[in-house]
């Protein structure tokens, strides 16, 4: 069955992709073809394995454009912001992959794995600058005031993203983190950008302050939930259990919600975790212990709570149209996803 | 003897430093004190060895503010741009130090040497975002159009910086590069930002197009010359020759102008260079060969040519006031510097 949001995505996608390509084809970048090729590879347009799968779902810009339309705005005017959030997301992926030593992303070698760390750091920086270039094109479609507001939001998001990432790296040193630290970390690392997508969509679409606030809060809840589901999949998703395509988050020692909850239980899982690194062959046993200790259920309760919160914020906008239907369905689909 | 530009620097410095501190004390950054501490350490305000020497000369923002005054503008209005170029410069230093594996900067351990690569990449990203935050404060002092023009210049400079750095890293693989490649690399890596400082100063100061162009061209020549002098010092400077505080650029294999010129001579130096990495004990002998082959002289001729070009561009502005006197003297002092 086709989702109600698919027709919107199909409408947005070609224009988004064209603008992204235009930004990364900017004359100055053409002066440095070697660097531009790295950026185009990462975006999934070039090199071995290029194509839809390598490009990812472009979820953040799609969300931004949906919200613009939901509040009655012209999504064409929001395209520069949509391109900017996607470039910002991709800049952060290039750098995160170096920081986490991830060799693969979307089925292909990561930038640092292919070109080395130095070129990857630098290519990420260029992608970061390109994000600001995309954003600056909003000048052409918005009033100066609306542009300045959008820009302030965008810059604050960059600071939150790096703040969350700082905590994530810092927590690698610790074997345990608190429930509170967990939420602070994912608020910056994951939710900040998704919140900004929804907020920018409402702002650019011309919604009044209270509606902008509702969408920002929706985005925050959606972003937090997105990470909680990601954490669930990292332990109980089929890939994690079989180890076929990714290693269980239990082995990499990531501070995910199930780990934080499992430590609070102080049971068999907590005892083993505190003894030191989990070996690949133990992952499925520990995943089972977490289920028996009620942690899987509790993780699902957190995801449900955040989903309800997200949907309630959508209600509070008091908007009712076909785009809102699509947004609700998108929310459900993100949270019941299998990967 | 005190230079004519010293009183200007003394006047600008406290306000510049105060604005830089204010930007890096932004509320969101306070939410991540661990990350903010890294940024404050790198800026030379905090941690072991903090102080004037660790802060560096803040040359780029000083140049920007001098040009603003030279064209009759209010330097106070240009402060956000001055802070932005300094933050951008420092972001690039944090990342360059990782890319070049430099353990020390301004007499202190570099960020990656102290906090590890992952935190250093991320702290550099936060500094990059802070640069855009500083720039965005120009909204308060400029017309929207002047702001948009400044922003476009700034973003283009970020792309040129990363482009130049890309070439620098790429050339590490090659034992030889051409004269043409050398100029392309340093135009991006070094001259682009210095050019933008002079250009932004004139633009924000309200100079007409032709004067802006003259200052931009001045900045470009100054920036290229700055790098050529840096290259000279990296081989024949007292530190390079004695090896006391830095290793000769000949040992690290950097593609500097003397190396490019020496290879073109095809003499003893070129022969030895092509045989493989230079050992520390050989550095002073090779430095001497380059002198005998006329390369030191040729490097000085290039620096003289660029200095003349820079001063000619200052002439073409047809401005005559005490700030122009200071700018000329600053130009001379940068090019006859000993370190």
């Amino acid at each position: 069955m086709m989702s109600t949001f698919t027709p919107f995505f199909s409408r947005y996608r070609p224009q988004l992709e064209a603008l992204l390509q235009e930004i990364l084809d900017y004359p100055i970048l053409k002066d440095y073809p070697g660097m531009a090729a790295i950026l185009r590879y990462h975006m999934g347009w070039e090199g071995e394995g290029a194509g839809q799968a390598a490009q990812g779902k472009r979820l953040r810009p799609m969300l931004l454009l949906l919200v613009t339309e939901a509040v009655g705005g012209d999504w064409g005017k929001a395209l520069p912001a949509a391109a900017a959030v996607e470039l910002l997301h991709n800049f952060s992926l290039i750098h995160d992959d170096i920081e986490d030593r991830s060799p693969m992303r979307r089925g292909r070698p990561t930038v640092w794995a292919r070109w080395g760390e130095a070129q990857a750091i630098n290519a990420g920086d260029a992608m970061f600058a390109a994000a600001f270039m995309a954003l600056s094109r909003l000048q052409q479609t918005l009033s100066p005031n609306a542009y300045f507001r959008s820009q302030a939001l965008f810059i604050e998001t960059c600071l939150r993203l790096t703040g969350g990432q700082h905590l994530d790296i810092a927590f690698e040193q610790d074997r345990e983190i608190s429930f509170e630290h967990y939420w602070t970390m994912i608020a910056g690392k994951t939710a900040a950008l998704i919140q900004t997508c929804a907020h920018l969509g409402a702002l650019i679409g011309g919604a009044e302050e209270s509606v902008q606030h509702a969408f920002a809060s929706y985005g925050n809840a959606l972003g937090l939930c997105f990470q909680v589901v990601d954490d669930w999949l990292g332990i109980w998703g089929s890939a994690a259990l079989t180890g076929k395509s990714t290693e269980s988050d239990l082995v990499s020692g990531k501070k995910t919600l199930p780990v934080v909850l499992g430590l609070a239980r102080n049971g068999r899982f907590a005892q083993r975790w505190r003894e030191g690194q989990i070996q690949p062959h133990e992952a499925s046993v520990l995943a089972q212990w977490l289920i028996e200790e009620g942690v899987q259920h509790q993780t699902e309760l957190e995801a449900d709570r955040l989903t309800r919160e997200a949907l309630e914020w959508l209600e509070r906008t008091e908007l009712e149209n076909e785009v809102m239907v699509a947004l609700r369905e998108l929310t459900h689909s993100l949270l019941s996803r299998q990967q």
Side-chain angles (χ1 to χ4, degrees), chain A:
Chain A
M1 201 186 77
M2 196 168 82
S3 314
T4 52
F5 53 82
T6 314
F8 292 99
F9 279 28
S10 311
R11 199 148 49 89
Y12 303 152
R13 186 68 186 255
Q15 291 205 41
L16 172 71
E17 222 61 26
L19 179 57
L20 288 168
Q21 298 229 16
E22 190 189 322
I23 299 285
L24 294 181
D25 264 343
Y26 192 77
I28 294 176
L29 286 169
K30 285 196 172 165
D31 291 345
Y32 307 97
M35 186 171 78
I38 301 179
L39 302 181
R40 297 181 54 81
Y41 170 86
H42 177 81
M43 293 303 288
W45 299 324
E46 256 181 36
E48 214 180 307
Q52 287 273 339
Q55 287 164 25
K57 293 178 289 291
R58 309 289 195 229
L59 211 61
R60 289 157 188 81
M62 293 297 155
L63 175 65
L64 190 154
L65 296 172
L66 269 179
V67 175
T68 307
E69 276 210 282
V71 302
D74 171 1
W75 66 274
K77 284 192 185 171
L79 268 174
V85 297
E86 184 64 18
L87 292 167
L88 185 68
H89 176 57
N90 279 281
F91 133 73
S92 76
L93 294 180
I94 294 177
H95 281 187
D96 288 2
D97 285 340
I98 310 171
E99 290 157 16
D100 302 341
R101 312 254 121 225
S102 308
M104 300 289 283
R105 152 119 14 227
R106 297 171 185 157
R108 303 199 301 167
T110 48
V111 170
W112 75 269
R114 267 203 60 172
W115 283 276
E117 275 183 54
Q119 286 295 19
I121 295 172
N122 190 62
D125 295 340
M127 190 81 90
F128 199 178
F132 277 97
M133 172 154 293
L135 190 78
S136 74
R137 301 218 176 173
L138 274 182
Q139 289 158 18
Q140 296 160 15
T141 61
L142 298 186
S143 70
N145 271 346
Y147 173 71
F148 293 149
R149 184 84 192 87
S150 305
Q151 186 188 239
L153 255 178
F154 193 80
I155 295 172
E156 288 182 353
T157 306
C158 296
L159 291 178
R160 280 188 219 282
L161 265 179
T162 51
Q165 185 65 10
H166 168 81
L167 293 181
D168 197 16
I169 302 166
F171 293 155
E172 277 173 26
Q173 310 300 320
D174 309 324
R175 196 70 190 148
E176 304 192 22
I177 68 167
S178 70
F179 200 56
E180 197 195 341
H181 275 147
Y182 171 79
W183 293 112
T184 311
M185 171 180 79
I186 74 166
K189 205 180 68 140
T190 312
L193 184 53
I194 295 176
Q195 171 174 349
T196 294
C197 291
H199 194 161
L200 278 176
L203 189 156
I204 296 167
E208 54 185 87
E209 282 289 340
S210 64
V211 175
Q212 287 183 36
H213 176 256
F215 273 112
S217 306
Y218 158 73
N220 178 53
L222 182 69
L224 294 173
C225 195
F226 191 84
Q227 184 62 55
V228 169
V229 173
D230 222 51
D231 287 0
W232 191 101
L233 291 167
I235 293 177
W236 300 291
S238 56
L241 281 181
T242 61
K244 259 183 195 156
S245 62
T246 55
E247 185 180 71
S248 166
D249 283 348
L250 292 174
V251 177
S252 63
K254 261 179 84 173
K255 308 305 178 301
T256 63
L257 183 59
V259 168
V260 174
L261 294 171
L263 287 167
R265 298 271 162 171
N266 239 327
R268 273 203 293 185
F269 170 81
Q271 199 179 348
R272 172 61 194 87
W273 181 270
R274 289 181 181 127
E275 283 168 18
Q277 218 205 316
I278 312 301
Q279 300 305 313
H281 71 272
E282 299 172 278
S284 59
V285 177
L286 266 78
Q288 184 57 38
W289 288 355
L290 284 170
I291 294 174
E292 289 163 13
E293 293 177 9
V295 166
Q296 185 185 51
H297 181 61
Q298 207 184 338
T299 304
E300 286 158 6
L301 287 181
E302 289 291 338
D304 285 347
R305 177 180 65 77
L306 288 164
T307 306
R308 274 201 312 281
E309 196 183 314
L311 293 170
E312 270 164 31
W313 281 111
L314 283 185
E315 288 303 309
R316 291 212 216 165
T317 64
E318 294 182 6
L319 294 164
E320 202 40 80
N321 53 51
E322 57 167 345
V323 199
M324 290 300 284
V325 175
L327 266 176
R328 274 197 294 272
E329 198 176 314
L330 176 66
T331 306
H332 282 294
S333 83
L334 287 179
L335 308 177
S336 58
R337 72 192 195 279
Q338 299 303 311
Q339 54 173 328

